[in-house]
PDB file of all heavy atoms in Angstrom:
ATOM      1  N   THR S  18      -5.523  26.758 -17.092  1.00 82.00           N
ATOM      2  CA  THR S  18      -6.719  26.183 -16.467  1.00 82.00           C
ATOM      3  C   THR S  18      -6.748  26.579 -14.987  1.00 82.00           C
ATOM      4  O   THR S  18      -5.729  26.475 -14.309  1.00 82.00           O
ATOM      5  CB  THR S  18      -6.667  24.643 -16.552  1.00 82.00           C
ATOM      6  OG1 THR S  18      -6.181  24.265 -17.829  1.00 82.00           O
ATOM      7  CG2 THR S  18      -8.024  24.032 -16.308  1.00 82.00           C
ATOM      8  N   PRO S  19      -7.928  27.013 -14.485  1.00 87.00           N
ATOM      9  CA  PRO S  19      -7.972  27.387 -13.076  1.00 87.00           C
ATOM     10  C   PRO S  19      -7.710  26.193 -12.165  1.00 87.00           C
ATOM     11  O   PRO S  19      -8.035  25.058 -12.511  1.00 87.00           O
ATOM     12  CB  PRO S  19      -9.398  27.920 -12.898  1.00 87.00           C
ATOM     13  CG  PRO S  19     -10.136  27.602 -14.138  1.00 87.00           C
ATOM     14  CD  PRO S  19      -9.189  27.141 -15.180  1.00 87.00           C
ATOM     15  N   ASP S  45      -2.071  23.193  -9.926  1.00 95.00           N
ATOM     16  CA  ASP S  45      -3.316  22.780 -10.610  1.00 95.00           C
ATOM     17  C   ASP S  45      -4.445  22.491  -9.618  1.00 95.00           C
ATOM     18  O   ASP S  45      -5.568  22.201 -10.023  1.00 95.00           O
ATOM     19  CB  ASP S  45      -3.064  21.557 -11.505  1.00 95.00           C
ATOM     20  CG  ASP S  45      -2.552  20.351 -10.727  1.00 95.00           C
ATOM     21  OD1 ASP S  45      -2.077  20.541  -9.573  1.00 95.00           O
ATOM     22  OD2 ASP S  45      -2.621  19.233 -11.248  1.00 95.00           O
ATOM     23  N   VAL S  49      -9.026  24.695  -0.218  1.00 97.00           N
ATOM     24  CA  VAL S  49      -9.958  25.699   0.314  1.00 97.00           C
ATOM     25  C   VAL S  49     -10.439  25.317   1.710  1.00 97.00           C
ATOM     26  O   VAL S  49     -11.080  26.128   2.380  1.00 97.00           O
ATOM     27  CB  VAL S  49     -11.162  25.922  -0.629  1.00 97.00           C
ATOM     28  CG1 VAL S  49     -10.693  26.477  -1.966  1.00 97.00           C
ATOM     29  CG2 VAL S  49     -11.973  24.652  -0.830  1.00 97.00           C
ATOM     30  N   HIS S  68       0.138  27.478   1.847  1.00 89.00           N
ATOM     31  CA  HIS S  68      -1.303  27.737   1.876  1.00 89.00           C
ATOM     32  C   HIS S  68      -1.587  29.019   2.663  1.00 89.00           C
ATOM     33  O   HIS S  68      -2.218  28.982   3.725  1.00 89.00           O
ATOM     34  CB  HIS S  68      -2.046  26.550   2.493  1.00 89.00           C
ATOM     35  CG  HIS S  68      -1.707  25.249   1.848  1.00 89.00           C
ATOM     36  ND1 HIS S  68      -2.153  24.888   0.598  1.00 89.00           N
ATOM     37  CD2 HIS S  68      -0.923  24.226   2.265  1.00 89.00           C
ATOM     38  CE1 HIS S  68      -1.671  23.695   0.283  1.00 89.00           C
ATOM     39  NE2 HIS S  68      -0.920  23.275   1.266  1.00 89.00           N
ATOM     40  N   HIS S  73      -6.857  25.637   9.695  1.00 96.00           N
ATOM     41  CA  HIS S  73      -7.532  24.365   9.938  1.00 96.00           C
ATOM     42  C   HIS S  73      -8.920  24.664  10.503  1.00 96.00           C
ATOM     43  O   HIS S  73      -9.086  25.621  11.275  1.00 96.00           O
ATOM     44  CB  HIS S  73      -6.760  23.526  10.972  1.00 96.00           C
ATOM     45  CG  HIS S  73      -5.433  23.028  10.479  1.00 96.00           C
ATOM     46  ND1 HIS S  73      -4.252  23.680  10.716  1.00 96.00           N
ATOM     47  CD2 HIS S  73      -5.108  21.922   9.772  1.00 96.00           C
ATOM     48  CE1 HIS S  73      -3.246  23.001  10.178  1.00 96.00           C
ATOM     49  NE2 HIS S  73      -3.732  21.928   9.596  1.00 96.00           N
ATOM     50  N   ILE S  87     -11.081  15.194  -0.204  1.00 98.00           N
ATOM     51  CA  ILE S  87     -10.115  14.099  -0.059  1.00 98.00           C
ATOM     52  C   ILE S  87     -10.114  13.674   1.403  1.00 98.00           C
ATOM     53  O   ILE S  87      -9.790  14.475   2.286  1.00 98.00           O
ATOM     54  CB  ILE S  87      -8.694  14.552  -0.474  1.00 98.00           C
ATOM     55  CG1 ILE S  87      -8.710  15.105  -1.900  1.00 98.00           C
ATOM     56  CG2 ILE S  87      -7.705  13.403  -0.341  1.00 98.00           C
ATOM     57  CD1 ILE S  87      -7.383  15.722  -2.337  1.00 98.00           C
ATOM     58  N   LEU S  99     -18.431  11.437   4.132  1.00 98.00           N
ATOM     59  CA  LEU S  99     -19.183  11.031   2.941  1.00 98.00           C
ATOM     60  C   LEU S  99     -20.512  11.780   2.877  1.00 98.00           C
ATOM     61  O   LEU S  99     -20.935  12.250   1.810  1.00 98.00           O
ATOM     62  CB  LEU S  99     -19.415   9.511   2.964  1.00 98.00           C
ATOM     63  CG  LEU S  99     -20.180   8.931   1.774  1.00 98.00           C
ATOM     64  CD1 LEU S  99     -19.471   9.239   0.450  1.00 98.00           C
ATOM     65  CD2 LEU S  99     -20.358   7.415   1.934  1.00 98.00           C
ATOM     66  N   GLU S 100     -21.172  11.914   4.029  1.00 98.00           N
ATOM     67  CA  GLU S 100     -22.463  12.607   4.074  1.00 98.00           C
ATOM     68  C   GLU S 100     -22.301  14.071   3.642  1.00 98.00           C
ATOM     69  O   GLU S 100     -23.106  14.614   2.895  1.00 98.00           O
ATOM     70  CB  GLU S 100     -23.016  12.509   5.508  1.00 98.00           C
ATOM     71  CG  GLU S 100     -24.478  12.871   5.675  1.00 98.00           C
ATOM     72  CD  GLU S 100     -24.649  14.332   6.030  1.00 98.00           C
ATOM     73  OE1 GLU S 100     -23.810  14.866   6.773  1.00 98.00           O
ATOM     74  OE2 GLU S 100     -25.623  14.930   5.555  1.00 98.00           O
ATOM     75  N   ARG S 105     -23.210  18.388  -0.143  1.00 98.00           N
ATOM     76  CA  ARG S 105     -22.707  19.576  -0.847  1.00 98.00           C
ATOM     77  C   ARG S 105     -22.345  19.274  -2.307  1.00 98.00           C
ATOM     78  O   ARG S 105     -21.765  20.116  -2.985  1.00 98.00           O
ATOM     79  CB  ARG S 105     -21.489  20.118  -0.096  1.00 98.00           C
ATOM     80  CG  ARG S 105     -21.783  20.620   1.334  1.00 98.00           C
ATOM     81  CD  ARG S 105     -22.336  22.028   1.362  1.00 98.00           C
ATOM     82  NE  ARG S 105     -21.407  22.968   0.769  1.00 98.00           N
ATOM     83  CZ  ARG S 105     -20.520  23.710   1.451  1.00 98.00           C
ATOM     84  NH1 ARG S 105     -20.491  23.633   2.756  1.00 98.00           N
ATOM     85  NH2 ARG S 105     -19.703  24.527   0.827  1.00 98.00           N
ATOM     86  N   SER S 111     -11.442   8.851  -1.180  1.00 98.00           N
ATOM     87  CA  SER S 111     -11.115   8.421   0.186  1.00 98.00           C
ATOM     88  C   SER S 111     -10.172   7.230   0.199  1.00 98.00           C
ATOM     89  O   SER S 111     -10.299   6.310  -0.605  1.00 98.00           O
ATOM     90  CB  SER S 111     -12.406   8.054   0.939  1.00 98.00           C
ATOM     91  OG  SER S 111     -12.081   7.525   2.221  1.00 98.00           O
ATOM     92  N   ALA S 151      -4.039 -12.496  -7.489  1.00 95.00           N
ATOM     93  CA  ALA S 151      -5.204 -13.158  -8.092  1.00 95.00           C
ATOM     94  C   ALA S 151      -4.751 -14.260  -9.049  1.00 95.00           C
ATOM     95  O   ALA S 151      -5.313 -15.365  -9.064  1.00 95.00           O
ATOM     96  CB  ALA S 151      -6.067 -12.129  -8.829  1.00 95.00           C
ATOM     97  N   GLU S 166       0.860  -8.586   7.341  1.00 98.00           N
ATOM     98  CA  GLU S 166       1.049  -7.149   7.095  1.00 98.00           C
ATOM     99  C   GLU S 166       1.690  -6.496   8.301  1.00 98.00           C
ATOM    100  O   GLU S 166       1.537  -6.965   9.434  1.00 98.00           O
ATOM    101  CB  GLU S 166      -0.284  -6.483   6.725  1.00 98.00           C
ATOM    102  CG  GLU S 166      -1.406  -6.621   7.744  1.00 98.00           C
ATOM    103  CD  GLU S 166      -1.555  -5.407   8.653  1.00 98.00           C
ATOM    104  OE1 GLU S 166      -0.585  -4.650   8.820  1.00 98.00           O
ATOM    105  OE2 GLU S 166      -2.651  -5.251   9.234  1.00 98.00           O
ATOM    106  N   GLY S 227       4.168   0.626   5.597  1.00 96.00           N
ATOM    107  CA  GLY S 227       3.215  -0.398   5.157  1.00 96.00           C
ATOM    108  C   GLY S 227       3.903  -1.534   4.431  1.00 96.00           C
ATOM    109  O   GLY S 227       4.616  -1.295   3.450  1.00 96.00           O
ATOM    110  N   GLU S 241       6.431 -16.274  -2.092  1.00 98.00           N
ATOM    111  CA  GLU S 241       6.076 -15.096  -1.301  1.00 98.00           C
ATOM    112  C   GLU S 241       6.054 -13.875  -2.204  1.00 98.00           C
ATOM    113  O   GLU S 241       7.043 -13.595  -2.893  1.00 98.00           O
ATOM    114  CB  GLU S 241       7.091 -14.877  -0.173  1.00 98.00           C
ATOM    115  CG  GLU S 241       7.085 -15.992   0.854  1.00 98.00           C
ATOM    116  CD  GLU S 241       8.021 -15.725   2.038  1.00 98.00           C
ATOM    117  OE1 GLU S 241       8.597 -14.621   2.089  1.00 98.00           O
ATOM    118  OE2 GLU S 241       8.171 -16.620   2.863  1.00 98.00           O
ATOM    119  N   ALA S 282      -7.757  -4.879  -9.799  1.00 39.00           N
ATOM    120  CA  ALA S 282      -8.523  -6.079  -9.455  1.00 39.00           C
ATOM    121  C   ALA S 282      -8.842  -6.159  -7.977  1.00 39.00           C
ATOM    122  O   ALA S 282      -8.341  -6.996  -7.258  1.00 39.00           O
ATOM    123  CB  ALA S 282      -7.756  -7.323  -9.892  1.00 39.00           C
TER     124      ALA S 282
END
Side-chain angles (χ1 to χ4, degrees):
T18 319
D45 60 343
V49 297
H68 307 287
H73 292 95
I87 304 173
L99 181 58
E100 194 267 324
R105 296 278 300 264
S111 175
E166 58 98 337
E241 295 184 5

